[in-house]
Amino acid sequence: MANETSKQAIEEEVELEMTPMIDVVFLLLIFFMCTLKMITVEGQFSTFLPKDQGTAAASTPPEIDKLKIRIVMKGEYKAGVRNWEFRAPSWKTDKTKALQKYVITFVTRSPKAPIEISPGTNAPYEAMIELLNACVGAKADKINFSMLPVPSKPK
Amino acid sequence: MAAKIPDSSVDLNMTPMIDVVFLLIIFFMLILKIVSEELTPLDLPTAVHANPDEAEEDRVIINLRRDGKIFVDGRVYDPTKPAGSEALKKKLAFEAQGARGDDGISERQILIRADRSTKYQHVEKILRLMVNKGIRMYRVQFGAEEDKKK
């Protein structure tokens, strides 16, 4: 008799209550799905820094046809080969487009000539990207960044 | 005579569903960590002509916030303070070590992602560090958001 009852106890299935666990797991899943920010497609502009750290040239290099563009502030540009021939007109709302037109004219005239960008220290990153975008859009061949030399420390 | 409802209950096998749900949770947890460490949420400028971002495996991502603070691999560097600048210099020197070419210049790529209103002086600080003697890196990418109007 005692043997039979113990057999019955073994045969009885132990049922785990799964419902609360499934509830919690679903809640976790919904939380992660809601908090996950979809990654926006990002782009980039590839550039190269100078490899050489040359010394100051003894003689002045031959003057080449180089377009210099200075970013003063967002949407405020000065550009020119020798003088600041181009200034974004104040009455134009889209100054970057006006600059891009100027860059396109320059590139079609001298396609191999480099473009030197010199952003002002307070110019925002956005303005730099806008300008890079305009130059790449105009199919400029060489784009350089100019940096002022760091003043040497007094000994 | 009313029809009898059968007593036996239909058992649904929950095991495969629970397996899948757990896998989904693990996936979301891992993705969340990777995204937060490498790419700091920033308001990137948009650009129509930006190239699609095809990252190299060992690329170093520098996230630059508008206040000038730099995030690399989840660590914060403040280059406005000498200690922060020195720490960043060490980090870049360490990253540059692995991929030096015959000329001693590192081939490792660097992506600079900056907030749209970050001042250029902060970007320039990084560029200056990169051409520094102990670092010598030259492959730079500037991050932007691809314009959807493209």
Side-chain angles (χ1 to χ4, degrees):
Chain A
M1 188 80 175
N3 233 355
E4 261 177 38
T5 43
S6 64
K7 243 187 184 179
Q8 267 182 353
I10 290 163
E11 276 170 12
E12 259 177 35
E13 264 186 54
V14 180
E15 272 191 36
L16 272 170
E17 188 60 54
M18 299 292 274
T19 326
M21 194 196 72
I22 295 169
D23 285 353
V24 171
V25 164
F26 268 113
L27 276 176
L28 275 172
L29 188 66
I30 291 163
F31 166 76
F32 281 118
M33 280 171 75
C34 292
T35 50
L36 189 80
K37 200 189 161 201
M38 280 297 135
I39 303 164
T40 45
V41 184
E42 286 187 12
Q44 41 81 8
F45 292 101
S46 291
T47 54
F48 299 97
L49 294 180
K51 277 187 170 184
D52 300 315
Q53 292 178 317
T55 49
S59 60
T60 50
E63 209 163 278
I64 45 166
D65 205 13
K66 180 165 68 176
L67 175 66
K68 287 182 189 170
I69 306 173
R70 180 150 178 80
I71 309 169
V72 185
M73 281 307 289
K74 182 179 155 42
E76 255 190 85
Y77 306 100
K78 291 196 285 186
V81 179
R82 276 170 194 86
N83 309 308
W84 298 123
E85 297 150 5
F86 172 87
R87 279 167 194 268
S90 56
W91 48 270
K92 280 214 172 173
T93 45
D94 201 341
K95 292 165 186 173
T96 321
K97 266 193 181 163
L99 177 74
Q100 191 169 9
K101 271 186 189 168
Y102 179 78
V103 175
I104 290 171
T105 331
F106 173 79
V107 172
T108 39
R109 201 179 64 218
S110 34
K112 293 282 165 199
I115 295 175
E116 190 182 284
I117 297 174
S118 87
T121 48
N122 285 329
Y125 178 71
E126 187 182 17
M128 193 189 97
I129 291 293
E130 266 182 9
L131 184 52
L132 267 177
N133 191 44
C135 291
V136 173
K139 296 193 168 49
D141 191 43
K142 278 182 195 166
I143 305 164
N144 302 329
F145 275 88
S146 70
M147 283 193 265
L148 290 171
V150 182
S152 55
K153 286 173 191 169
K155 285 175 187 173
Chain B
M1 230 173 109
K4 268 189 180 176
I5 301 162
D7 286 339
S8 59
S9 59
V10 182
D11 265 335
L12 269 172
N13 190 9
M14 301 292 273
T15 325
M17 195 197 70
I18 295 168
D19 285 354
V20 171
V21 167
F22 267 115
L23 278 176
L24 277 171
I25 286 181
I26 292 164
F27 166 76
F28 280 118
M29 280 168 78
L30 290 176
I31 286 288
L32 202 73
K33 198 163 187 289
I34 292 164
V35 169
S36 61
E37 274 202 352
E38 278 221 308
L39 305 171
T40 312
L42 291 169
D43 185 16
L44 293 177
T46 50
V48 184
H49 300 290
N51 303 315
D53 191 22
E54 285 157 4
E56 281 183 11
E57 255 183 44
D58 55 352
R59 181 174 69 170
V60 184
I61 301 175
I62 296 181
N63 300 283
L64 187 52
R65 252 177 26 185
R66 77 171 74 173
D67 56 359
K69 281 196 179 131
I70 292 166
F71 290 76
V72 187
D73 287 340
R75 271 198 67 186
V76 194
Y77 300 89
D78 189 357
T80 52
K81 288 170 187 160
S85 184
E86 200 55 40
L88 181 66
K89 208 171 163 180
K90 274 184 188 163
K91 170 75 179 162
L92 288 180
F94 172 75
E95 295 291 348
Q97 279 307 318
R100 292 220 185 271
D102 296 333
D103 50 2
I105 298 168
S106 180
E107 289 290 325
R108 190 156 279 181
Q109 212 171 39
I110 282 212
L111 169 70
I112 300 175
R113 294 172 76 244
D115 194 282
R116 60 172 70 219
S117 51
T118 310
K119 286 179 181 170
Y120 178 72
Q121 54 183 310
H122 301 305
V123 181
E124 202 187 79
K125 257 181 211 162
I126 299 169
L127 297 181
R128 279 191 194 282
L129 272 181
M130 284 175 68
V131 292
N132 214 298
K133 251 189 181 173
I135 300 168
R136 314 243 6 229
M137 290 166 123
Y138 76 104
R139 297 176 67 200
V140 198
Q141 294 178 325
F142 293 106
E145 208 169 287
E146 276 190 90
D147 202 335
K148 283 167 187 116
K149 283 178 252 165
K150 200 175 179 177

